[in-house]
Amino acid sequence: MERVPILKIGGILLVSIQVDLHDQSVLALQEDLAEKISATGAHGVVIDISAVDIVDSFIGRMFATIASLSRLFDADTVVVGMRPAVAITLVELGLTLDGVRTALDLERGMEILRGLGVGTGATFDARDA
Amino acid sequence: MTTAGSAGPEELRIAADEDVVRVRQAVRNCAQRVRLSLVDQTKVVTAASELARNTLIHGGGGLARVEEVVDGRRRGVRASFHDEGPGIPDLTLALADGWSSGSGLGLGLSGSRRLVDVFELDTEPGGGTTVTVVKWTR
Ligand SMILES: Nc1ncnc2c1ncn2[C@@H]1O[C@H](COP(=O)(O)OP(=O)(O)OP(=O)(O)O)[C@@H](O)[C@H]1O
Ligand SMILES: [Mg+2]
């Protein structure tokens, strides 16, 4: 089973999904993230889905779960980089992603977290990520 | 509507999580071969993912069949999902947005129906379920 790496950058955890995940990997990622947030005290989570070519109800639900999980640990989650075709499909599927913050790209996602008062680390530059 | 011979139908067993991934890939490949637009590819792959998962979770596993179809000048991708599971006792309920017999969001059937051009559901309590979808080029 492939495991998605979680990077820690300043006070933020960055998850970049690069492969077509099967459901067990999706669940493992949820658990890994919960553990990592509590272990590191991170205050922000960024999930980069710019390489993801479909989001179905299972993955969509993962975003919602991670968003509410992270809130329990006083962290905010932003999903960034959704492809236009994915967004159109999600709307038609009927998945509203209530409670999930989204941003166009990584840079804007980091800005949102900064706006929420999350320290993103002084040396971090989103363009280098 | 006829089956386009070039690549032939592809049959895939759905017995585990990774088979759902394989079905997504097969449908994506087929959708690219018939030159569906990127948005339509995304829609039909998403629908297939929902239906393959239903076959696995609710139907106890089964079979997917993915193939190119032709109708005059239109080409399309057809995917069907078959299982010999418990069937769906109340179709109206199952097709309603937000209804799930388990802990799902209940969007799989109703949502995938909106994502495709043809949606056929054949089921009988105790007699298994077959769902067939088609997405045409425009
Ligand atoms: N192949 C199947 N065999 C038996 N029952 C099915 C099958 N597919 C769907 N169902 C029934 O129809 C209901 C609705 O399916 P649907 O995919 O819309 O929702 P879900 O699978 O429960 O949740 P979601 O797909 O949103 O995670 C299911 O809860 C299940 O009871
Ligand atoms: Mg379902």
Side-chain angles (χ1 to χ4, degrees):
Chain A
M1 184 179 75
E2 58 261 90
R3 271 193 128 86
V4 181
I6 302 171
L7 304 177
K8 182 169 182 297
I9 301 160
I12 288 189
L13 299 179
L14 174 64
V15 177
S16 177
I17 301 176
Q18 298 290 337
V19 290
D20 194 345
L21 293 178
H22 60 70
D23 293 358
Q24 283 309 317
S25 302
V26 170
L27 295 178
L29 174 58
Q30 269 172 213
E31 288 165 20
D32 290 351
L33 254 177
E35 260 162 43
K36 198 101 178 204
I37 298 171
S38 98
T40 60
H43 286 296
V45 176
V46 177
I47 305 173
D48 181 1
I49 58 166
S50 53
V52 170
D53 54 23
I54 72 140
V55 171
D56 62 11
S57 63
F58 200 86
I59 300 190
R61 187 162 36 183
M62 169 186 78
F63 299 150
T65 305
I66 290 175
S68 32
L69 254 175
S70 64
R71 237 169 270 131
L72 292 178
F73 294 103
D74 193 25
D76 289 290
T77 297
V78 188
V79 173
V80 306
M82 186 183 295
R83 295 181 180 185
V86 169
I88 292 169
T89 301
L90 269 183
V91 170
E92 218 160 301
L93 185 65
L95 209 66
T96 50
L97 295 187
D98 287 334
V100 179
R101 237 181 267 270
T102 57
L104 278 183
D105 53 33
L106 190 53
E107 211 160 333
R108 275 174 251 224
M110 303 299 275
E111 257 163 45
I112 288 180
L113 288 179
R114 242 174 258 131
L116 292 169
V118 178
T120 56
T123 55
F124 179 69
D125 183 334
R127 278 163 302 184
D128 299 333
Chain B
M1 178 164 89
T2 55
T3 320
S6 56
E10 193 175 346
E11 294 214 333
L12 300 108
R13 218 164 52 96
I14 304 175
D17 271 355
E18 49 268 32
D19 298 328
V20 177
V21 177
R22 252 175 243 129
V23 169
R24 289 204 284 260
Q25 281 158 358
V27 172
R28 157 95 47 201
N29 288 340
C30 190
Q32 282 171 347
R33 270 200 314 271
V34 303
R35 298 184 174 281
L36 282 184
S37 72
L38 183 60
V39 169
D40 286 342
Q41 283 178 35
T42 307
K43 287 182 181 179
V44 70
V45 175
T46 305
S49 184
E50 296 294 339
L51 297 172
R53 185 178 296 108
N54 280 355
T55 300
L56 178 67
I57 308 275
H58 305 298
L63 210 65
R65 187 184 162 99
V66 182
E67 62 202 322
E68 298 180 30
V69 283
V70 182
D71 176 19
R73 297 180 51 213
R74 286 191 307 179
R75 300 215 289 161
V77 46
R78 174 163 64 198
S80 76
F81 303 85
H82 173 75
D83 65 67
E84 319 249 292
I88 305 176
D90 189 338
L91 262 187
T92 318
L93 210 53
L95 282 168
D97 261 344
W99 188 83
S100 166
S101 61
S103 61
L105 298 173
L107 287 176
L109 281 181
S110 54
S112 57
R113 188 186 196 180
R114 282 190 291 269
L115 293 172
V116 295
D117 298 318
V118 176
F119 182 95
E120 288 164 1
L121 207 164
D122 191 6
T123 183
E124 224 180 285
T129 301
T130 304
V131 184
T132 303
V133 298
V134 179
K135 189 83 183 167
W136 293 110
T137 51
R138 281 183 279 185

